Amino acid sequence: MTQLEAAKRGEITEEMKFVAEREGISPEKLRKSIAKGHTVIFRNVRHDWVKPVAVGNVVRVKVNANIGTSRDIVDVKAEIEKAKVAVKYGADTIMDLSTGGDLDEIRKTIMHAVDVPIGTVPIYQAAEEMLAKGKAIIEMSEDDMWKAVEKHFRDGVDYTTIHVGVTKEVVEKMKRTKRVVGMVSRGGTFLAAWILHWGEENPFYRDYDYLLELAKEYDVVLSLGDGLRPGGLPDAGDELQIAELYTLGRLVRRAREAGVQTMVEGPGHVPIDQIAAQVKLAKVATDNAPFYVLGPIVTDIFPGYDHISAAIGGAIAALNGADFLCYVTPAEHLGLPDVEHVRQGVIAAKIAAHAVNLTRFEADFRKDYLMSLARGRLNWAEQFELSQDKERFIEIRNERPTKTEACSMCGDLCAIKIINDMLAGGKE
């Protein structure tokens, strides 16, 4: 029985109890949200060592970190280190997007290296296996695609991105729609190219009921991918993006009827003044399905700093209803991220998520309240303990020392020190 089926029957599972305790909410409140399809729990029935995580409208905004090899760089140890660093700095889930090396072994190794839920994009493996055979990606058979999906489900991945909204109809629209950037979703592009080559319907869309059967067997959360998300600001909110979104909304409702948990993926590159409207539209179109956004990235001209651009967009998206932020690293658009890029990407996304969570959860606001108290008292030891990145805290303190009780920015001119002394009856 899936989490959704149990919730609909009024049952509270062990996973629901675990999540409710971590979130500081009642199990019944969580159950009701899951029953409506507004919240999902990540935990494949075969991934029994994972700590379940919930994403949705009654729990905290979560952060995902993408890692994985490429065809140019296959360093499994580095990817394991990235996964561990991502979790250390607050990633709630990891997506293995590997496209180079022994993908089965890499996936299983990552799953055993961390205790957070793992997501994947199975079509990547189907495509890579074609290239490994010296064939073109478009030579994938439908059987190749389904085998990749089944393999990932059996291996225990907790959620998978399936670009089920890249339909033959929307691909035809692409021929008539001018885009500045075209398609930037790898999985979506693989399927679009396959459709254009063979003239056939997307197998995941045509045989969606079979996909639901597989997902239900393992209680995998289907992350309905945005294959037509905008890859540049000029394409945000265009006909292709919105057409796919409404297709995904229909598929969400079918999944709920089948007892399968789903969430929907969103943009992408979006001008800052459009983010609120796009998130709210997505929530309406998908009947409040959990919404998973990449960024959104709010400007295209700062390569090397896209983690900051994405954090700005992510905070606005979360404030307006997005539930799950996929981090973006400084290496976005430039190359495969290294460990430091992963750390910076996770921290940026966690700042965005926490900025919203502290407005909704008293326990989260309490952390910031205590930090304010410590700063007001110039209590550096307490500030260190409350800091989310203690290494960075002590690094800057040591690099810029001072002989005063304040910091080296102000020293004896510290506003806090002066007013505290005066209020205590001291002298300037």
Side-chain angles (χ1 to χ4, degrees):
M1 184 188 309
T2 66
Q3 298 294 325
L4 177 55
E5 288 176 313
K8 285 182 176 180
R9 294 185 183 187
E11 299 178 17
I12 295 176
T13 65
E14 290 302 314
E15 290 80 7
M16 293 179 202
K17 293 177 183 177
F18 178 86
V19 167
E21 183 175 357
R22 292 184 72 178
E23 298 287 342
I25 61 175
S26 72
E28 179 61 14
K29 181 177 182 179
L30 177 62
R31 183 200 66 77
K32 287 180 178 178
S33 186
I34 293 172
K36 294 176 182 177
H38 298 171
T39 298
V40 297
I41 289 183
F42 298 140
R43 187 188 181 279
N44 185 314
V45 296
R46 301 191 69 165
H47 196 180
D48 55 9
W49 63 92
V50 73
K51 293 180 180 177
V53 168
V55 166
N57 68 347
V58 297
V59 296
R60 288 174 176 80
V61 177
K62 300 303 193 303
V63 168
N64 171 70
N66 293 336
I67 63 167
T69 62
S70 71
R71 289 179 63 80
D72 290 324
I73 304 174
V74 180
D75 185 341
V76 180
K77 288 184 178 180
E79 298 310 316
I80 296 303
E81 185 179 0
K82 289 179 192 178
K84 291 181 177 179
V85 165
V87 172
K88 174 182 177 180
Y89 287 98
D92 300 287
T93 70
I94 297 292
M95 284 200 84
D96 171 25
L97 305 185
S98 294
T99 55
D102 185 339
L103 302 187
D104 291 334
E105 185 61 29
I106 292 169
R107 181 170 59 256
K108 293 173 184 177
T109 301
I110 290 172
M111 290 182 69
H112 282 87
V114 292
D115 61 1
V116 300
I118 302 295
T120 60
V121 187
I123 195 72
Y124 287 5
Q125 180 155 8
E128 167 58 22
E129 288 175 353
M130 286 296 102
L131 296 178
K133 295 175 183 176
K135 297 181 179 181
I137 291 173
I138 54 174
E139 293 183 70
M140 289 185 295
S141 68
E142 294 184 21
D143 193 45
D144 293 326
M145 298 182 204
W146 286 113
K147 282 182 178 178
V149 171
E150 293 179 37
K151 181 184 294 185
H152 285 223
F153 287 9
R154 285 197 308 270
D155 284 350
V157 299
D158 304 285
Y159 64 101
T160 57
T161 295
I162 308 289
H163 299 89
V164 71
V166 180
T167 64
K168 188 176 180 182
E169 179 182 3
V170 81
V171 169
E172 286 298 316
K173 285 181 185 288
M174 290 180 62
K175 297 177 182 179
R176 306 187 299 271
T177 304
K178 291 184 179 180
R179 269 193 163 188
V180 174
V181 185
M183 288 186 76
V184 295
S185 163
R186 278 187 295 187
T189 299
F190 296 162
L191 285 164
W194 188 90
I195 290 168
L196 287 168
H197 178 75
W198 296 104
E200 298 289 339
E201 183 56 275
N202 178 345
F204 299 129
Y205 177 76
R206 188 190 61 223
D207 298 320
Y208 187 59
D209 287 338
Y210 179 56
L211 178 61
L212 295 178
E213 288 179 21
L214 292 176
K216 185 175 181 178
E217 181 179 354
Y218 299 95
D219 201 5
V220 173
V221 174
L222 293 181
S223 186
L224 305 185
D226 53 341
L228 291 154
R229 67 177 180 268
L233 297 185
D235 298 327
D238 71 357
E239 177 186 4
L240 298 177
Q241 178 192 344
I242 303 306
E244 180 184 37
L245 175 62
Y246 275 93
T247 296
L248 298 183
R250 293 193 300 272
L251 297 176
V252 163
R253 288 182 276 275
R254 284 176 58 186
R256 288 174 181 170
E257 291 171 1
V260 174
Q261 300 187 96
T262 56
M263 64 183 179
V264 172
E265 298 184 11
H269 296 241
V270 182
I272 198 168
D273 62 335
Q274 294 182 27
I275 293 173
Q278 287 221 18
V279 173
K280 291 174 182 177
L281 175 62
K283 283 291 187 174
V284 170
T286 65
D287 188 23
N288 289 307
F291 197 41
Y292 178 27
V293 293
L294 179 65
I297 294 174
V298 297
T299 174
D300 290 335
I301 64 168
F302 283 90
Y305 299 91
D306 280 322
H307 59 310
I308 298 173
S309 177
I312 294 169
I316 296 170
L319 187 63
N320 285 278
D323 307 284
F324 196 22
L325 306 181
C326 185
Y327 87 160
V328 174
T329 76
E332 186 79 7
H333 303 109
L334 299 174
L336 190 72
D338 61 21
V339 173
E340 177 59 18
H341 294 147
V342 167
R343 186 184 73 86
Q344 292 182 35
V346 170
I347 290 173
K350 287 295 288 187
I351 291 171
H354 180 68
V356 176
N357 288 333
L358 70 83
T359 70
R360 301 174 182 173
F361 291 86
E362 184 178 349
D364 292 54
F365 180 79
R366 178 72 178 168
K367 297 175 185 177
D368 288 73
Y369 175 74
L370 292 174
M371 179 63 90
S372 296
L373 284 178
R375 283 179 175 157
R377 297 167 179 165
L378 294 178
N379 185 333
W380 296 102
E382 186 67 15
Q383 290 179 59
F384 172 78
E385 290 302 323
L386 290 166
S387 177
Q388 290 294 104
D389 185 350
K390 292 179 173 56
E391 290 91 343
R392 186 63 172 154
F393 181 101
I394 203 67
E395 176 187 345
I396 294 176
R397 288 284 292 169
N398 289 341
E399 285 179 352
R400 297 288 187 270
T402 178
K403 296 179 181 179
T404 72
E405 64 178 300
C407 75
S408 57
M409 178 74 175
C410 297
D412 287 331
L413 299 178
C414 174
I416 295 174
K417 181 179 184 300
I418 292 171
I419 198 64
N420 284 354
D421 286 348
M422 291 302 296
L423 291 173
K427 299 178 180 181
E428 292 187 9

